[in-house]
């Protein structure tokens, strides 16, 4: 069942009428609805294109958080074969919010990391809504160490509102774990790529997004703090999140202009949550291009490319 965002009401109304007509046709075979359904479908498609052509930063934030948007597990199922997940940080325990393991992409061995938000009440609680604890980031470091040792490229799928801010997480060294993961990402001798598929929130995202190539889906967001939290701090009013989203410059288009990311993966009108197959094809093409571009680079070249990329951010503003 399709879930609609507030600004998609015109499309929701049209598609509700289509569903009603189809229900009528099922109960009365003599009723011909094809012409009217085709007309309403065309109008719904046009409305969707028009809405998604001029999304505001706040509306993109809502799209990035859409519950039906493809998550880490969807990308792994569609793109990675021989997937072998690995658990635990060998220091404290397992963290289900940050998934990691090894598999093959188009036959090439790869290490894969990413936050998993879950898609039901049960799985969201299991994965802590994609907010990782320190053990999650220490697991990421463990997997990146293994990838570096065996010369395996690293792929990260970023989708988190931020690292978990709980008391236990702070007691176990959340900030240190994020810093270690960021440091490991920077010092890898193998190429790594990060794709922000939904939310890229604060240090929780940067811990696995410090890569040779950073991509964003067209309607994803990437920021140092959520619009709601930023509005609470700066405006003393979380209700001003829409204004904060605009001021933060959190969209893929803004960040490409600033040189923070390297490219945008386009989404069809209606967003990734309506077009899983198309998004997987586009992501596959982007990953293939990355692996081809970095196939001949030495360990030193991969490390220096990453270093120069991040040192250059902000120098030409």
């Amino acid at each position: 069942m399709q879930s609609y965002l507030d600004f998609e009401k015109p499309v929701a109304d049209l598609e509700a009428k289509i569903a009603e007509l189809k229900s009528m046709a099922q109960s009365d075979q003599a009723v011909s609805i094809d012409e009217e359904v085709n007309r309403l479908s065309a109008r719904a498609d046009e409305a969707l294109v028009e809405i998604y052509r001029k999304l505001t930063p706040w509306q993109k934030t809502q799209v990035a958080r859409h519950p039906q948007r493809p998550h880490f597990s969807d990308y792994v199922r569609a793109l990675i074969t021989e997937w072998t997940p690995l658990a635990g940080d060998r220091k404290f325990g397992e963290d289900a919010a940050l998934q990691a393991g090894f598999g093959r992409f188009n036959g090439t061995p790869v290490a894969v990391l990413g936050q998993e938000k879950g898609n039901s009440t049960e799985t969201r609680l299991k994965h802590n809504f994609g907010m990782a604890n320190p053990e999650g980031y220490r697991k990421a470091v463990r997997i990146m160490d293994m990838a570096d040792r065996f010369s395996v490229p690293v792929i990260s799928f970023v989708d988190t509102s931020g690292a978990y801010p709980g008391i236990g997480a702070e007691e176990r060294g959340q900030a240190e774990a994020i810093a270690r993961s960021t440091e490991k990402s920077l010092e890898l001798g193998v190429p790594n790529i990060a794709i922000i598929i939904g939310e890229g929130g604060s240090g929780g995202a940067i811990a696995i997004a410090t890569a040779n190539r950073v991509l964003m889906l067209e309607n994803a967001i990437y920021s140092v703090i959520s619009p709601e939290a930023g509005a609470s701090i700066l405006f003393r009013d979380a209700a001003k999140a829409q204004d904060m989203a605009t001021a933060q410059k959190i969209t893929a288009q803004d960040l490409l202009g600033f040189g923070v990311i390297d490219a945008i993966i386009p989404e069809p009108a209606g967003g990734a949550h309506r077009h899983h197959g198309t998004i997987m094809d586009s992501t596959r093409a982007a990953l293939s291009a990355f692996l081809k571009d970095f196939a001949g680079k030495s360990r030193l070249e991969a490390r220096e490319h990453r270093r120069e990329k991040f040192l250059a951010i902000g120098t030409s503003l």
Side-chain angles (χ1 to χ4, degrees):
M1 183 176 179
Q2 183 64 49
S3 176
Y4 295 94
L5 299 169
D6 291 343
F7 59 85
E8 295 178 323
K9 189 177 185 305
V11 178
D13 291 342
L14 288 167
E15 292 187 349
K17 290 178 182 177
I18 292 170
E20 185 180 349
L21 285 171
K22 289 182 177 179
S23 178
M24 287 173 55
Q26 287 179 350
S27 60
D28 186 353
Q29 299 294 328
V31 177
S32 177
I33 64 166
D34 291 347
E35 184 177 341
E36 182 64 10
V37 165
N38 290 338
R39 186 181 69 82
L40 290 174
S41 295
R43 284 179 58 191
D45 291 342
E46 290 172 4
L48 206 57
V49 170
E50 183 62 24
I51 289 169
Y52 274 78
R53 188 167 56 212
K54 52 183 182 182
L55 292 178
T56 66
W58 177 245
Q59 288 171 335
K60 289 197 174 192
T61 301
Q62 293 175 282
V63 175
R65 296 170 174 172
H66 197 286
Q68 294 171 332
R69 196 171 177 85
H71 294 152
F72 173 83
S73 57
D74 299 306
Y75 286 88
V76 168
R77 278 193 297 269
L79 303 174
I80 307 299
T81 57
E82 300 181 36
W83 171 242
T84 304
L86 298 179
D89 64 346
R90 300 299 187 264
K91 294 178 180 178
F92 179 81
E94 165 63 352
D95 180 23
L98 201 155
Q99 301 287 291
F102 289 86
R104 292 182 184 272
F105 172 77
N106 289 347
T108 301
V110 292
V112 187
L113 315 169
Q115 290 98 356
E116 172 59 53
K117 285 185 171 181
N119 51 23
S120 65
T121 300
E122 182 182 358
T123 56
R124 286 174 188 136
L125 290 172
K126 173 186 175 182
H127 295 290
N128 200 29
F129 300 87
M131 296 185 292
N133 281 281
E135 48 271 26
Y137 295 110
R138 290 179 178 128
K139 175 172 63 177
V141 170
R142 183 168 76 88
I143 301 307
M144 285 190 277
D145 266 331
M146 292 176 66
D148 204 20
R149 191 179 313 136
F150 295 107
S151 299
V152 175
V154 178
I155 299 170
S156 299
F157 293 102
V158 181
D159 190 15
T160 182
S161 59
Y164 186 58
I167 293 175
E170 297 298 337
E171 289 176 340
R172 296 194 299 278
Q174 183 72 286
E176 185 270 345
I178 289 172
R180 292 289 184 189
S181 185
T182 306
E183 179 185 42
K184 175 55 63 177
S185 297
L186 282 168
E187 70 181 23
L188 284 173
V190 295
N192 60 340
I193 181 173
I195 303 178
I196 299 159
I197 58 176
E199 289 186 272
S202 192
I206 201 69
I208 61 170
T210 312
N212 289 106
R213 189 165 291 170
V214 181
L215 311 182
M216 283 180 73
L217 265 62
E218 184 177 352
N219 296 318
I221 59 170
Y222 195 18
S223 63
V224 298
I225 193 170
S226 72
E228 295 91 337
S232 295
I233 294 171
L234 294 182
F235 303 138
R236 302 290 191 271
D237 185 0
K240 292 186 177 180
Q242 297 187 40
D243 297 332
M244 191 66 196
T246 301
Q248 282 181 289
K249 305 296 184 184
I250 60 178
T251 69
Q253 294 75 15
D254 288 327
L255 294 167
L256 181 63
F258 294 146
V260 174
I261 66 169
D262 300 295
I264 297 172
I265 298 177
E267 296 184 35
H273 55 281
R274 284 186 172 87
H275 304 278
H276 283 217
T278 302
I279 289 301
M280 296 306 163
D281 290 341
S282 299
T283 304
R284 182 180 288 106
L287 290 174
S288 297
F290 163 74
L291 291 174
K292 181 179 179 182
D293 291 346
F294 282 80
K297 290 190 182 294
S298 67
R299 296 180 62 84
L300 180 60
E301 287 173 326
R303 193 178 292 117
E304 283 299 306
H305 175 276
R306 197 180 301 116
R307 178 179 182 275
E308 292 171 9
K309 166 186 165 59
F310 282 91
L311 286 176
I313 293 175
T315 60
S316 60
L317 297 178

